[in-house]
Amino acid sequence: MGENRTTKQAKDPRANVTAAVGGRLGNRIKRAEQALIARKTQALRPFGLTVPQYSVLLLLSLFPDGMSAAQLARESMVTPQTMSTVLANLEKHGLTEREPSPLHQKVVVNRLTRSGRAALKKADKEAVRVEDGLRAAFTPEEFERFEDYLERAIDVLNGTE
């Protein structure tokens, strides 16, 4: 006779995962993040940049005096080890340069090169286009509420609300 739902789930482990976590809020947030990163990855590929590399270029453009690897790791929400790899690749391609900090002897600061600024200018247009595409899926009022909800979620999870 026909199989019941429980039997089907037992035969298909993926169904078990979907049933267990598919409706969980954390899972939905992660899926949204992964979808955004995937779209940005696609948009940045023609410029030879990864999303973490683009994020570093964007941050460095905001801090003309440079930033340490530790600062960049914190702001980019990646591990120091990951940031080390990202910076090595950016420097290898001439997009960033490292210099001793004028404020602290043991600190090295990273800065954009002229090539880094040019790459960022082109790549940023495409990254913004991805975000604008997401924004366009909402009315202005919906998007404002969406941003408010995300900020509230961040505050709650950080224990600041």
Side-chain angles (χ1 to χ4, degrees):
M1 269 189 127
E3 296 179 6
N4 64 30
R5 183 173 168 87
T6 307
T7 306
K8 282 183 183 178
Q9 285 181 349
K11 289 183 179 180
D12 181 6
R14 186 79 189 126
N16 291 336
V17 171
T18 301
V21 299
R24 308 250 327 237
L25 182 58
N27 182 265
R28 289 211 175 145
I29 291 170
K30 184 65 175 177
R31 287 176 42 224
E33 178 196 27
Q34 287 178 329
L36 177 62
I37 297 300
R39 290 295 300 273
K40 280 191 172 181
T41 297
Q42 197 175 27
L44 296 171
R45 189 171 290 128
F47 307 101
L49 294 173
T50 65
V51 174
Q53 289 170 339
Y54 162 76
S55 295
V56 167
L57 295 180
L58 185 60
L59 280 168
L60 290 176
S61 75
L62 302 172
F63 293 88
D65 291 337
M67 296 177 75
S68 72
Q71 289 171 314
L72 286 164
R74 279 190 300 276
E75 291 295 325
S76 298
M77 295 176 273
V78 299
T79 65
Q81 294 84 354
T82 297
M83 184 52 62
S84 178
T85 301
V86 169
L87 288 169
N89 285 324
L90 288 171
E91 188 174 21
K92 180 174 83 176
H93 291 97
L95 302 176
T96 61
E97 59 189 6
R98 300 176 341 142
E99 300 173 356
S101 169
L103 303 175
H104 195 285
Q105 292 176 346
K106 294 185 180 189
V107 175
V108 174
V109 294
N110 299 275
R111 291 189 178 85
L112 283 180
T113 62
R114 189 171 283 136
S115 296
R117 281 186 219 300
L120 174 62
K121 187 175 180 179
K122 293 175 190 172
D124 193 46
K125 288 179 185 176
E126 295 305 314
V128 168
R129 188 170 294 155
V130 169
E131 291 181 14
D132 286 347
L134 176 59
R135 184 185 311 269
F138 299 91
T139 67
E141 296 79 19
E142 287 173 332
F143 194 78
E144 186 175 333
R145 284 195 308 270
F146 180 58
E147 287 183 312
D148 289 344
Y149 296 149
L150 288 173
E151 287 301 323
R152 188 182 327 158
I154 291 165
D155 289 345
V156 166
L157 293 170
N158 285 331
T160 56
E161 183 172 284

